[in-house]
Amino acid sequence: MGIFMGKKLNIGCGNDYREEYVNLDNKGSRYACDVRHDLNVFPYPFKESTFEEVYCSNILEHLNDVPRTLQELRRITKNQGIIRIIVPHFSSADVWGDLSHKRGFSAQSFSTDMAAYQGLDGFKLLRQNIQFPGYRFYMRWFANLFKGFYENNLAYLFPASTLCVDLEVVK
């Protein structure tokens, strides 16, 4: 596996091919990638602790078992490596606009309490940011300072677009 010396993985790369990454996409994908693998089949074709960074942009919402996927990403990521995640926020119209989406995400999806409940020990939450379309910029500060209040009371009045999360792997 000498081609994997880049130490960075772009999982579910689609049309976002990144030169400095190993680009992984589904077997049926029409896009260029370095490795083809069904992302719902475990284990992924990499040795334990291969990568320093894993980038997951708009892929987790398509997969069958998110907790199992996160554990697999933890397996192939080095201790103190970073898993960068971008997923659709549950309030976004994009969540259900794409028929292949299986779920949306909230700030609680990656919270410490929820992670332990779902058997996702081994991660440290470094950053979690609710993103908004440009014309709704005025909600960024409030929603990220008061995530619970925003998601429980205002999310459908002022919908977000995505949730960006950085997890540190703890082994």
Side-chain angles (χ1 to χ4, degrees):
M1 296 200 168
I3 69 166
F4 305 130
M5 301 311 289
K7 306 291 188 216
K8 293 181 180 181
L9 176 65
N10 180 11
I11 183 171
C13 63
N15 65 356
D16 183 22
Y17 188 92
R18 295 174 173 235
E19 291 298 328
E20 66 276 13
Y21 288 73
V22 174
N23 295 277
L24 169 68
D25 211 354
N26 256 337
K27 287 185 174 184
S29 174
R30 61 188 166 146
Y31 298 107
C33 63
D34 303 310
V35 178
R36 293 201 184 277
H37 182 79
D38 183 341
L39 299 172
N40 285 310
V41 174
F42 307 102
Y44 291 170
F46 306 107
K47 293 180 182 176
E48 188 169 328
S49 300
T50 299
F51 300 101
E52 295 169 359
E53 179 184 320
V54 175
Y55 180 70
C56 304
S57 179
N58 294 293
I59 188 64
L60 293 181
E61 67 273 13
H62 296 275
L63 301 179
N64 295 334
D65 190 344
V66 174
R68 177 67 180 100
T69 300
L70 289 172
Q71 285 300 332
E72 183 62 10
L73 295 179
R74 181 182 178 276
R75 181 188 72 78
I76 64 176
T77 304
K78 294 180 178 182
N79 185 42
Q80 297 184 316
I82 305 298
I83 299 175
R84 298 188 190 286
I85 299 169
I86 301 170
V87 288
H89 190 266
F90 73 85
S91 65
S92 172
D94 293 337
V95 169
W96 305 118
D98 182 337
L99 296 176
S100 68
H101 286 185
K102 298 175 191 264
R103 69 193 47 82
F105 294 81
S106 74
Q108 192 174 0
S109 299
F110 299 97
S111 71
T112 305
D113 294 339
M114 198 56 137
Y117 171 74
Q118 296 179 67
L120 292 177
D121 296 326
F123 296 101
K124 178 180 174 185
L125 180 63
L126 297 179
R127 177 183 73 102
Q128 186 176 64
N129 195 353
I130 300 171
Q131 299 287 312
F132 290 83
Y135 59 88
R136 214 171 274 130
F137 69 91
Y138 53 86
M139 286 303 298
R140 290 180 194 147
W141 176 83
F142 183 85
N144 283 293
L145 189 59
F146 303 104
K147 288 179 178 76
F149 182 83
Y150 164 74
E151 290 185 336
N152 287 309
N153 298 287
L154 301 173
Y156 289 113
L157 291 173
F158 305 100
S161 55
T162 58
L163 180 67
C164 300
V165 178
D166 286 350
L167 300 174
E168 179 181 1
V169 170
V170 179
K171 292 186 179 183

